């Protein structure tokens, strides 16, 4: 596949900026049903105004540009503005933060394979990408979902999702937007860490094979994977050190060195777990990629509770959010000292 040089350069530049040292991505691209679920947990009805107020609170938090390189937005949010009328994309850009956009249309049942899903959204994607670019987006995200279970995942499911991820990535680069390729092996289930490692490796190998076959240049993408962990209902719990070392071992086997960065999702881990795992991984610097974050829940869970839908809680919620950003920034250097959270541990 041939891309215009300027588009490739634009992607490379943004991909490296997104994984700049000490920085990572805020995933604030919850779809309407997902944000409704999050708001329900704090007793708030998910109206358009509330979604806008919540995201404005996040995006205007002082100092986050020191640790947040980019924010993934949902279609609605890319078109919304602050209370004073500044569009969110230009607000973010003015703070040195790159705006991104979730472009998939969600995971739908995979025909003929009960319990499995495939992500949709390729139809009309080229036109949507053009519009998103004109609205200020610099990068995109597409999430594929792989479930571990009895006889799952099937090769059929992995292949269908990998194929769609690669088609999306090629279209995104063509539009000058860095694709964040997200194959998420779900944490839900009774599986051991070993099983998670096998399925994650199998999935990543397939995804990189499709990216290769569809001519996607790996310097222009970021990978957003799950960490390698025990399933939530597995009685044998892997330690934090095992999660960090198994994740790195798995990725060294399956992720080409040309990829600028691996930006982990948190996928149902607690805020602390996700940060500590990232921190431990970054103590091992002997890897070819930046190891960073693109957290949704692990950056927002305590902030959402502190906000609780009330304007008067805004400053408190912002303080909580700034602290989560700060500790994840430290984890990018392997310097988060969780036993002494105020200290910036040196190597
Ligand atoms: P979590 O960190 O909550 O898994 O969200 C990241 C994300 O963007 C999922 O697509």
């Amino acid at each position: 596949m041939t891309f215009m040089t300027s588009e490739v350069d634009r992607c490379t530049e943004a991909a490296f900026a997104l994984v700049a040292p000490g920085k990572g991505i805020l995933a604030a691209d919850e779809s309407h049903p997902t944000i409704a679920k999050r708001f329900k947990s704090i007793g708030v009805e998910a109206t358009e105004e509330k979604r806008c107020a919540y995201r404005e609170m996040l995006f205007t938090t002082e100092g986050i540009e020191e640790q947040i390189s980019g924010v993934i937005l949902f279609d609605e949010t890319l078109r919304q503005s602050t209370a004073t009328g500044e569009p969110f994309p230009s607000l973010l850009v003015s703070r040195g933060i790159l705006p991104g956009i979730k472009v998939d249309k969600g995971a739908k049942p995979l025909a003929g394979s009960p319990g499995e899903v495939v992500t949709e959204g390729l139809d009309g994607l080229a036109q949507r990408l053009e519009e998103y670019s004109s609205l200020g987006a610099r990068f995109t995200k597409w999430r594929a979902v792989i479930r571990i279970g009895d006889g799952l995942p099937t090769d059929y499911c992995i292949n269908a999702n990998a194929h769609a991820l690669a088609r999306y990535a090629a279209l995104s680069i063509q539009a000058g937007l860095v694709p964040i390729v997200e194959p998420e092996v779900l944490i839900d289930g009774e599986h051991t860490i070993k099983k998670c490692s096998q399925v994650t490796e199998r999935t990543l190998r397939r995804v990189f094979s499709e990216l290769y076959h569809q001519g996607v240049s790996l310097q222009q993408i970021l990978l957003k994977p799950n960490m390698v962990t025990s399933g939530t209902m597995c009685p044998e719990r892997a330690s934090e050190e095992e999660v960090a070392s198994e994740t790195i071992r798995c990725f060294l086997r399956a992720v080409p060195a040309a990829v600028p960065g691996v930006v982990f999702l948190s996928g149902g881990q607690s805020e602390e777990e996700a940060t500590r795992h990232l921190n431990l991984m970054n103590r091992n610097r002997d890897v070819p990629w930046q190891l960073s974050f693109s957290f949704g829940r692990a950056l927002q869970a305590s902030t959402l509770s502190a906000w609780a839908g009330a304007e008067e809680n805004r400053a408190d919620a912002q303080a909580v959010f700034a602290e989560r950003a700060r500790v994840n920034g430290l984890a990018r250097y392997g310097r988060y000292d969780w036993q002494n959270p105020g200290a910036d541990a040196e190597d």
Side-chain angles (χ1 to χ4, degrees):
M1 183 180 302
T2 23
F3 295 116
M4 300 289 291
T5 315
S6 60
E7 284 148 4
V8 169
D9 289 345
R10 193 177 142 81
C11 285
T12 311
E13 183 191 36
F16 279 90
L18 287 167
V19 292
K23 293 190 180 188
I25 298 168
L26 164 67
D29 60 328
E30 297 85 359
S31 62
H32 289 340
T34 303
I35 197 78
K37 197 162 88 184
R38 306 269 187 269
F39 278 14
K40 196 165 176 227
S41 73
I42 52 163
V44 172
E45 195 194 337
T47 60
E48 186 179 342
E49 291 71 32
K50 278 288 182 200
R51 290 191 291 263
C52 189
Y54 173 65
R55 273 129 180 188
E56 178 172 351
M57 179 276 292
L58 292 176
F59 306 158
T60 55
T61 299
E62 222 171 285
I64 53 158
E65 63 277 9
E66 284 171 32
Q67 297 94 18
I68 303 296
S69 54
V71 177
I72 315 176
L73 305 169
F74 188 63
D75 182 280
E76 173 188 82
T77 325
L78 189 73
R79 303 168 197 277
Q80 285 173 327
S81 303
T82 63
T84 56
E86 179 159 28
F88 284 144
S90 66
L91 167 77
L92 292 169
V93 168
S94 73
R95 305 193 58 188
I97 298 174
L98 297 180
I101 176 81
K102 168 193 172 77
V103 301
D104 67 71
K105 297 257 185 183
K108 305 286 155 59
L110 179 63
S113 196
E116 296 199 296
V117 289
V118 64
T119 303
E120 295 190 349
L122 289 169
D123 286 357
L125 181 57
Q127 292 71 34
R128 286 196 291 128
L129 290 168
E130 264 176 46
E131 191 200 4
Y132 290 144
S133 180
S134 74
L135 289 168
R138 290 294 310 276
F139 68 101
T140 62
K141 183 193 98 171
W142 179 290
R143 173 174 178 253
V145 180
I146 307 293
R147 181 179 297 279
I148 300 179
D150 204 10
L152 304 185
T154 61
D155 282 342
Y156 166 40
C157 174
I158 293 177
N159 290 345
N161 277 293
H163 189 265
L165 274 168
R167 286 204 54 208
Y168 140 75
L171 285 165
S172 187
I173 293 174
Q174 188 167 270
L177 303 170
V178 178
I180 296 197
V181 173
E182 181 179 6
E184 176 175 3
V185 176
L186 293 179
I187 199 170
D188 311 323
E190 294 176 2
H191 53 272
T192 60
I193 187 168
K194 191 157 180 277
K195 179 74 183 176
C196 178
S197 181
Q198 286 164 352
V199 173
T200 302
E201 181 177 344
R202 192 172 139 213
T203 302
L204 291 174
R205 283 179 182 276
R206 192 66 216 148
V207 167
F208 282 103
S209 169
E210 281 294 341
L211 289 168
Y212 172 73
H213 285 292
Q214 295 189 42
V216 174
S217 149
L218 299 184
Q219 284 90 347
Q220 275 76 57
I221 74 160
L222 293 175
L223 176 70
K224 175 164 174 167
N226 53 287
M227 294 182 195
V228 174
T229 65
S230 324
T232 37
M233 291 177 316
C234 177
E236 283 166 56
R237 309 303 309 160
S239 67
E240 287 170 5
E241 288 74 17
E242 282 172 298
V243 170
S245 59
E246 277 302 316
T247 303
I248 287 185
R249 247 200 301 274
C250 172
F251 283 54
L252 284 172
R253 287 194 295 261
V255 181
V259 176
V262 173
V263 294
F264 290 101
L265 58 93
S266 59
Q269 300 178 59
S270 71
E271 290 181 339
E272 263 305 294
E273 281 170 337
T275 307
R276 288 189 202 176
H277 290 151
L278 181 66
N279 190 53
L280 282 172
M281 281 188 253
N282 274 310
R283 290 210 171 150
N284 173 357
R285 304 278 173 75
D286 202 13
V287 293
W289 343 268
Q290 289 288 318
L291 293 175
S292 185
F293 58 89
S294 174
F295 294 158
R297 284 162 285 180
L299 271 169
Q300 296 183 57
S302 52
T303 305
L304 190 64
S305 306
W307 177 65
E311 184 52 30
E312 63 267 27
N313 296 334
R314 185 187 170 98
D316 287 349
Q318 289 187 327
V320 172
F321 180 50
E323 177 58 13
R324 281 331 302 170
R326 190 185 74 84
V327 295
N328 283 299
L330 289 174
R332 286 282 284 110
Y333 296 111
R335 287 190 198 144
Y336 174 43
D337 180 358
W338 55 270
Q339 284 165 315
N340 187 13
D344 292 8
E346 294 296 336
D347 283 341

